[in-house]
Amino acid sequence: MDFTEILQSGIGFILTALCWGFTNPFIKRGSVGIERIKKGNWLMQTVAETWFLFTNWRYVVPLAINLSGSAVYYYTLSAADITVA
């Protein structure tokens, strides 16, 4: 294992940490107001909450970045040597 592979793994893990850690406050802020949604049954409640979240760009953009962090993590984990991971 050479230095560039270790560096790539390190950058991948740091990028993952940034994607996960940096976006959490924005996801929380983007979901403000969901507690005001009240529907008659659990199915309509779930649909209304899902609609509220996925039509709100303040929630969707940080969520997409957060999920891309998961993709980077699994890619980095698969490419990294077991002693680095």
Side-chain angles (χ1 to χ4, degrees):
M1 175 165 225
D2 64 347
F3 179 72
T4 58
E5 291 175 354
I6 294 173
L7 185 63
Q8 286 176 338
S9 296
I11 290 172
F13 289 129
I14 290 170
L15 183 61
T16 298
L18 289 174
C19 287
W20 284 346
F22 182 72
T23 56
N24 285 338
F26 295 105
I27 292 171
K28 186 175 183 177
R29 187 179 304 158
S31 65
V32 168
I34 196 167
E35 63 276 352
R36 289 180 286 187
I37 298 173
K38 303 290 184 213
K39 297 296 178 187
N41 60 26
W42 68 270
L43 181 59
M44 292 306 295
Q45 181 74 25
T46 303
V47 169
E49 289 176 358
T50 303
W51 181 259
F52 174 81
L53 291 175
F54 286 106
T55 57
N56 183 359
W57 69 269
R58 289 178 186 93
Y59 179 81
V60 172
V61 171
L63 180 66
I65 294 170
N66 189 291
L67 293 175
S68 68
S70 297
V72 171
Y73 174 71
Y74 284 113
Y75 173 76
T76 303
L77 198 62
S78 70
D81 187 30
I82 193 68
T83 58
V84 175

